[in-house]
Amino acid sequence: MKTEPPPPDVCQFCGKEHPRNGVLLWGCVVSWQPFPERCNCPEAVKYWEQYDADQQEAEKAEREENERKAKREKIEKLLGKSGIKKRFRGRTFENFITDTPGRTRAYKIARRYAETFSERYANGDGLYIEGTNGTGKTHLAGAIALHLINKGIPVVCKTADDLLHDIKKAYEDEHTKESAVLDAYKSVDLLIIDDLGKEQCSDWGITNLYTIINDRYEDMKPTIITTNYSTEDLKRALTPKGFDSGKIAAIISRLWETSTVITMAWEDARLTQK
């Protein structure tokens, strides 16, 4: 059946007419090309070049968002949600107190990290937040996590003890493999290990912790840790009894190499507020 051709398309820039091409079947036109032919005048060429570039950028953004969504779903299935405890889900940048030069400096570094995360992610840059009890280390780490989660970026924020507990649970769950849990920790866009050194690890725990941090180091995945210990004290706190501190030293070395260090050593805010 022969169909009537549509009116020719007119270039919006030069006014040239462009008839639609027909789609043939057994020698007959059964339909007409749905999109107008692109004019070759300079203005039209420039327009279509920009159009193609915008389309490619939009498609790239959609692919990246789909990849992030798939990664989030995989991680949440294996590890639950981000791991941020209920007490810390309200700890945002907006309610972090900046009443001293030290707190202000720490706040600015952490906030800039969150707001420029795409650059940090590309370079594998993390944060090493050390200091005394109650100075706001976990608050800032949680604020970074919440900021990024709200933008759809996969983040896991847990203590080392909870992290290792997740791996142990895989032994008891026939539907979850230990390697899958480890891979989730290794591949998440940002891993935050809070309060490192609070619990002394076994040799098994330190080996798994080293594996996660070393793989992230080699893959240039950013990691943030918070700790109440100085470097030497952290080595002693984490080293299992009867073992040397070689793995601990390697962990700390990799974290320091790839991190901006924030030292938060001042009076415990929780005590002053009582």
Side-chain angles (χ1 to χ4, degrees), residues 133-145:
N133 288 320
T135 54
K137 299 183 299 296
T138 297
H139 187 139
L140 287 181
I144 292 170

Side-chain angles (χ1 to χ4, degrees), residues 32-47:
W32 298 92
Q33 182 183 9
F35 303 106
E37 183 178 339
R38 295 183 176 186
C39 187
N40 59 4
C41 72
E43 292 85 357
V45 169
K46 183 178 180 181
Y47 169 84

Side-chain angles (χ1 to χ4, degrees), residues 117-223:
F117 183 72
S118 59
E119 299 169 28
R120 314 297 180 140
Y121 180 78
N123 296 323
D125 297 333
L127 291 176
Y128 189 102
I129 310 176
E130 62 179 6
T132 48
N133 288 320
T135 54
K137 299 183 299 296
T138 297
H139 187 139
L140 287 181
I144 292 170
L146 292 169
H147 179 93
L148 297 179
I149 289 167
N150 286 334
K151 291 182 176 297
I153 296 171
V155 179
V156 169
C157 177
K158 294 194 175 187
T159 64
D161 195 47
D162 286 342
L163 181 154
L164 294 171
H165 181 65
D166 285 335
I167 300 171
K168 285 181 181 178
K169 282 197 303 184
Y171 289 127
E172 305 166 4
D173 185 353
E174 61 181 12
H175 301 295
T176 304
K177 294 182 179 179
E178 178 190 1
S179 60
V181 176
L182 280 168
D183 286 343
Y185 279 123
K186 292 174 184 178
S187 64
V188 67
D189 285 19
L190 177 62
L191 174 63
I192 300 175
I193 304 176
D194 186 41
D195 220 358
L196 187 62
K198 184 177 181 180
E199 303 289 342
Q200 188 176 58
C201 296
S202 65
D203 185 54
W204 172 88
I206 289 300
T207 298
N208 278 287
L209 196 59
Y210 172 80
T211 298
I212 291 167
I213 291 175
N214 187 62
D215 276 25
R216 294 184 65 81
Y217 169 81
E218 292 180 350
D219 290 340
M220 295 182 67
K221 297 281 189 182
T223 303

Side-chain angles (χ1 to χ4, degrees), residues 101-114:
R103 292 177 68 86
T104 300
R105 178 180 178 275
Y107 164 83
K108 287 182 176 179
I109 294 173
R111 181 142 200 169
R112 176 163 174 76
Y113 182 92

Side-chain angles (χ1 to χ4, degrees), residues 18-33:
H18 296 276
R20 294 284 180 98
N21 293 322
V23 178
L24 297 175
L25 180 63
W26 296 326
C28 296
V29 176
V30 294
S31 64
W32 298 92
Q33 182 183 9

